Amino acid sequence: MSKFFVTTPIYYVNDAPHIGHAYTTILADVLSRYHRTVGDEVFFLTGLDEHGQKVKQAAEKRGMSPQAHCDDLAPRFLNLWKTLDIRYDDFIRTTQERHKRIVQLVLQQVNDQGDIYTDEYEGWYSVAEERFITDAEYATNQFRDVKKIKEKNYFFRMSKYQQKLVDYIQAHPDFIRPEHRKNEMLGFLRQPLGDLCISRPKSRMDWGIEIPFDRDYVTYVWFDALVNYISVPGYGSDDQKFKKWWPADVHLIGKDILTTHCVYWTTMLFSLGLELPKTIFAHGWWLIGETKMSKSLGNVVNPLDLIADYGVDAVRFYLMREMVLGLDANFTPDSFIKTYNSDLANDFGNLLNRVSGLIQKNHGGQIPESGPLSPQEDNIKMQIDELPNRVKEKINEFKVQEAVSLTLNLVQTLNKYMEAQAPWKLAKTDMQAANRVLYTAAEGLRIATIMLAPVMPEKTAEVLDILGAANTSPVWGELKPGTVLRVHPPLFPRIEVEKT
């Protein structure tokens, strides 16, 4: 049995979750479900990043302690994941003792390795980014809330591993994906890397994990947060579990945290003597018009609003259907409605309505016997037989959108086949032919439904229940003749838009 360990970033608790958080987490859930359907053992990790200056500031604005603020906001993420039908295996909060203990262990090990030193540093500090920035970065005026700070801090010898990282990236073409992000990182690494400030004096910022060898300091929030990827699967606490799951198969991240994952995290792992994750995949942003969705701009789409109006599966489907992994995607209500009506109402839902309606009308609601297939049905069966492997290939390449498209192509083929064969007419002259057409369409629908189940778990379970085919596999012939179909309302009622 193969294993598949997938992670999302852990999300900051400085505000409520939005569609950017939802997208990455649904994507991880869809990949997890696909891998489970082919028999892989899966570990899906997500969670919350609860330390750092931004969290402390958000708590102060609300007149709360940082811990109380985190405890108040954490359920909002957990409730949204429940609403979105996210089936994670572990949910880490970085304020949990099981995590803090391992962060301190990692700090001590990296220090014992000789990779941490103290130095007095003066430079520009961006409170918004929670990091020191260079003079060149300061000159761009792209960083918010910047001030000059001079203080003694602890530094991680990140520069020591620069060439090793370059060599690794070049030797492992699938390590950073998509390709243009790998090239971006190699370009970044052509410049001297410098070392990473990994502490904050408690006198300035005390909301963090205490450095084990100096109680006057807490660790930099990224040095804390990134460790979740190894603290949860058992590093330093359960060797057998850690050996089973590490390295991660994929870290799913947004492109804005590429450097922290591809440079900070990898050099930390080099210092610890651990393997690097197999793939770091940076997806694009959801845009409104040409602008990134962000809380500060006030253009964030709340996933719960969409779910209330159209259902959770329609939202999951839209997000997986519309973003090519690695590129940005535009969200508009119009594009959502267009995708919903075209793919879900007109194609998928319509095929179910046609098949079940005709079987109810002409066959007393029972799946008919197929009889021998004609060359036309053989062609459809060939497309169906190839579909599971083709989808698996796309999923292994992180091409979720293409995997969904392959399945929708089958649905469209079946709708055209029904149009051309007109089983409602055949039933009057050649019942055997009508039986064959309806069985083929129903069996094709069943298999397409199974292939879409990771994306739309709720609606696909409903379709399989209607077909009397729960717990079947995507293999031709498992739809049993004589099975009585369940009467049902429309699966995806069309969204009618008022014309102005």
Side-chain angles (χ1 to χ4, degrees):
M1 182 186 288
S2 298
K3 65 95 179 170
F4 181 69
F5 177 20
V6 57
T7 72
T8 71
I10 52 173
Y11 306 114
Y12 251 151
V13 288
N14 54 348
D15 208 338
H18 58 72
I19 208 162
H21 304 122
Y23 174 77
T24 317
T25 315
I26 291 169
L27 175 60
D29 185 66
V30 167
L31 291 172
S32 296
R33 288 174 184 268
Y34 269 119
H35 278 274
R36 285 192 177 102
T37 61
V38 297
D40 291 345
E41 198 172 356
V42 172
F43 188 40
F44 166 17
L45 170 63
T46 188
L48 297 177
D49 181 1
E50 299 190 346
H51 289 125
Q53 196 155 349
K54 280 192 271 192
V55 173
K56 187 177 182 185
Q57 287 173 337
E60 285 169 352
K61 276 185 188 172
R62 301 176 72 201
M64 303 172 81
S65 73
Q67 189 65 61
H69 164 80
C70 294
D71 291 345
D72 179 59
L73 285 184
R76 300 190 195 186
F77 286 84
L78 289 162
N79 290 338
L80 179 58
W81 297 165
K82 188 175 180 181
T83 303
L84 288 168
D85 208 354
I86 305 294
R87 301 285 176 87
Y88 53 82
D89 294 290
D90 205 325
F91 186 94
I92 183 68
R93 295 179 58 188
T94 56
T95 52
Q96 292 170 337
E97 284 302 321
R98 62 171 176 155
H99 175 73
K100 291 196 283 188
R101 189 172 66 251
I102 303 306
V103 170
Q104 291 184 318
L105 172 69
V106 165
L107 282 162
Q108 190 64 58
Q109 288 176 333
V110 173
N111 188 51
D112 293 346
Q113 180 72 14
D115 284 346
I116 292 176
Y117 64 93
T118 57
D119 197 7
E120 187 165 81
Y121 184 84
E122 182 175 12
W124 298 108
Y125 185 79
S126 166
V127 176
E129 294 285 320
E130 298 208 35
R131 69 178 177 90
F132 286 98
I133 59 173
T134 64
D135 288 339
E137 285 178 317
Y138 177 71
T140 66
N141 289 319
Q142 291 179 352
F143 293 85
R144 291 178 290 118
D145 203 356
V146 176
K147 51 187 171 184
K148 199 73 169 271
I149 289 179
K150 182 178 182 180
E151 63 189 16
K152 188 191 99 170
N153 266 308
Y154 286 89
F155 289 80
F156 167 53
R157 296 185 194 277
M158 194 162 67
S159 58
K160 172 180 170 182
Y161 298 102
Q162 179 168 2
Q163 190 56 48
K164 183 174 183 178
L165 179 56
V166 170
D167 294 343
Y168 188 91
I169 293 169
Q170 290 175 333
H172 297 81
D174 287 338
F175 174 53
I176 301 174
R177 299 184 68 178
E179 183 78 11
H180 61 279
R181 298 296 170 209
K182 178 180 83 175
N183 295 336
E184 185 182 321
M185 280 297 95
L186 286 171
F188 176 81
L189 289 165
R190 287 192 193 104
Q191 307 300 319
L193 187 54
D195 291 334
L196 182 66
C197 178
I198 61 159
S199 68
R200 301 291 182 261
K202 282 185 182 177
S203 56
R204 176 162 69 83
M205 212 290 292
D206 62 353
W207 181 240
I209 297 174
E210 192 176 88
I211 288 185
F213 41 84
D214 192 333
R215 299 189 66 176
D216 292 332
Y217 288 82
V218 295
T219 193
Y220 172 44
V221 67
W222 276 105
F223 208 95
D224 157 11
L226 290 162
V227 171
N228 95 90
Y229 299 134
I230 57 173
S231 71
V232 176
Y235 182 75
S237 63
D238 187 335
D239 290 346
Q240 196 171 348
K241 181 182 177 185
F242 187 69
K243 190 175 178 183
K244 175 180 178 178
W245 290 112
W246 191 259
D249 291 270
V250 60
H251 290 328
L252 295 174
I253 61 168
K255 64 181 181 180
D256 50 331
I257 50 175
L258 189 68
T259 305
T260 50
H261 281 78
C262 297
V263 180
Y264 297 7
W265 178 225
T266 51
T267 51
M268 286 164 64
L269 290 168
F270 281 147
S271 179
L272 291 167
L274 296 176
E275 286 182 74
L276 302 194
K278 292 178 185 174
T279 299
I280 298 173
F281 201 112
H283 63 72
W285 287 333
W286 279 96
L287 306 175
I288 299 284
E290 297 303 313
T291 310
K292 183 195 174 188
M293 219 177 272
S294 77
K295 289 186 288 290
S296 58
L297 293 172
N299 65 349
V300 167
V301 176
N302 184 343
L304 290 174
D305 295 341
L306 291 170
I307 292 163
D309 291 337
Y310 307 112
V312 62
D313 277 5
V315 173
R316 288 175 61 111
F317 178 86
Y318 174 78
L319 294 177
M320 295 302 102
R321 174 76 162 135
E322 289 302 307
M323 182 179 274
V324 176
L325 269 185
L327 304 180
D328 292 340
N330 247 300
F331 176 87
T332 66
D334 285 348
S335 73
F336 179 87
I337 290 168
K338 186 178 175 186
T339 298
Y340 175 101
N341 280 341
S342 172
D343 293 342
L344 297 179
N346 294 357
D347 287 346
F348 189 58
N350 185 47
L351 180 60
L352 173 65
N353 291 344
R354 276 177 156 179
V355 167
S356 62
L358 287 169
I359 289 175
Q360 293 292 351
K361 183 180 177 182
N362 297 328
H363 300 277
Q366 293 188 353
I367 302 284
E369 288 276 358
S370 165
L373 302 183
S374 73
Q376 194 158 14
E377 283 87 40
D378 279 333
N379 285 336
I380 290 173
K381 182 177 178 294
M382 191 184 305
Q383 185 181 345
I384 289 169
D385 288 344
E386 291 172 353
L387 183 64
N389 278 335
R390 293 184 70 197
V391 166
K392 185 179 178 181
E393 285 170 12
K394 296 299 182 188
I395 293 300
N396 287 340
E397 295 167 5
F398 305 104
K399 295 178 178 175
V400 176
Q401 190 206 37
E402 290 184 30
V404 173
S405 292
L406 282 172
T407 307
L408 288 175
N409 289 345
L410 171 60
V411 170
Q412 289 157 5
T413 296
L414 293 168
N415 272 317
K416 287 174 187 169
Y417 166 73
M418 289 280 282
E419 282 287 339
Q421 295 297 313
W424 52 91
K425 291 180 184 174
L426 283 174
K428 297 171 186 173
T429 59
D430 187 346
M431 189 55 85
Q432 188 176 355
N435 290 352
R436 184 179 69 243
V437 171
L438 281 176
Y439 182 86
T440 299
E443 179 63 331
L445 170 64
R446 181 187 70 82
I447 290 168
T449 300
I450 291 170
M451 300 318 296
L452 287 172
V455 178
M456 300 191 293
E458 192 178 286
K459 288 291 186 182
T460 52
E462 198 178 315
V463 174
L464 292 173
D465 182 57
I466 289 164
L467 296 173
N471 303 314
T472 54
S473 69
V475 175
W476 180 273
E478 289 192 17
L479 189 63
K480 298 301 178 196
T483 301
V484 178
L485 297 192
R486 183 169 64 74
V487 178
H488 61 92
L491 192 66
F492 290 105
R494 272 185 67 80
I495 301 170
E496 300 300 335
V497 182
E498 289 182 22
K499 293 180 180 176
T500 54

